[in-house]
Amino acid sequence: MKTRFGFMPFFAPDGEGGAPAPAPAPAAPAPAVPPAPEAASFDAFLATQPENVKTLIADHERGLKSALDSERGSRQDLEGQLRDMAKNAAKTPELQKSLTELADKLAVTDRRADFYDAAHVAGVTNLKLAYLVAEQDEMFDKKGNVNFETLKTKYPELFAGTKVTPRAHAGDGTLTPTPASGGMNAFIRQSAGRS
């Protein structure tokens, strides 16, 4: 059929006429992808990797650890320098006080960073909250270390895998046990007067 806009096929609403619908192309079979094994931790994932991947990750991790160690060493050197400057600044008490405060802040920052590193290894889920708890309960020793076993016994909710599962019935929310009943059928029969 020719129209003023060019050739247009006629499509009838009842399905007659018009061009036949092209046959659908057969779908290509999806490539079989083996499901990825579920790893519970990074160590479990790493154990399943080939040796060349393990070597690459170990080299990368070694570089990160050396950078972290050098950063810690430079911070300790800086803290020592600040304390030496504070001793030398005895002539001006304001300068000595500000340098001492700065060195103390740096020491606290280092202690917090060391705590976060150790707490992550110990399985703490909320690092900031655990640090505040350890600081409030004075769990730091003279070296700035925390006994995580003590922290875990006092505050088990801060650690992964130690969540207490509550009993599962509706009375737990109201602290009263749910009454034993015969179910919905018994309720309907009682309401209808046919116990």
Side-chain angles (χ1 to χ4, degrees):
M1 168 178 188
K2 187 120 172 133
T3 65
R4 67 180 192 175
F5 300 111
F7 178 76
M8 295 183 83
F10 173 73
F11 293 103
D14 59 358
E16 293 179 10
V33 177
E38 300 230 2
S41 68
F42 180 75
D43 293 333
F45 166 76
L46 189 60
T48 63
Q49 298 303 310
E51 205 53 45
N52 61 347
V53 173
K54 291 179 185 177
T55 305
L56 284 172
I57 291 175
D59 289 343
H60 184 69
E61 189 176 274
R62 195 172 312 115
L64 291 174
K65 284 183 180 180
S66 68
L68 179 65
D69 290 340
S70 67
E71 181 66 27
R72 284 184 180 155
S74 66
R75 282 181 171 259
Q76 289 174 350
D77 292 343
L78 180 62
E79 181 183 349
Q81 290 173 1
L82 284 173
R83 294 200 187 275
D84 290 341
M85 289 172 71
K87 289 177 187 175
N88 294 337
K91 297 174 188 171
T92 56
E94 294 170 7
L95 179 62
Q96 183 180 10
K97 182 180 176 187
S98 65
L99 286 173
T100 305
E101 287 174 0
L102 187 60
D104 291 341
K105 285 181 184 179
L106 185 61
V108 168
T109 303
D110 283 343
R111 182 172 77 170
R112 184 181 305 126
D114 291 340
F115 176 83
Y116 286 169
D117 189 32
H120 178 71
V121 171
V124 174
T125 54
N126 191 337
L127 299 175
K128 188 173 184 179
L129 182 61
Y131 179 77
L132 292 173
V133 165
E135 196 172 51
Q136 176 190 356
D137 289 359
E138 298 174 355
M139 293 183 173
F140 287 99
D141 61 7
K142 291 179 183 178
K143 294 181 181 178
N145 299 324
V146 174
N147 184 352
F148 286 103
E149 292 302 318
T150 305
L151 187 66
K152 191 171 189 174
T153 55
K154 286 186 176 183
Y155 304 98
E157 61 275 2
L158 293 174
F159 292 83
T162 57
K163 294 183 180 176
V164 179
T165 306
R167 294 174 305 191
H169 64 73
D172 278 343
T174 60
L175 300 175
T176 59
T178 55
S181 66
M184 188 54 120
N185 287 337
F187 175 73
I188 293 172
R189 284 188 184 116
Q190 183 181 6
S191 297
R194 297 190 279 155
S195 331

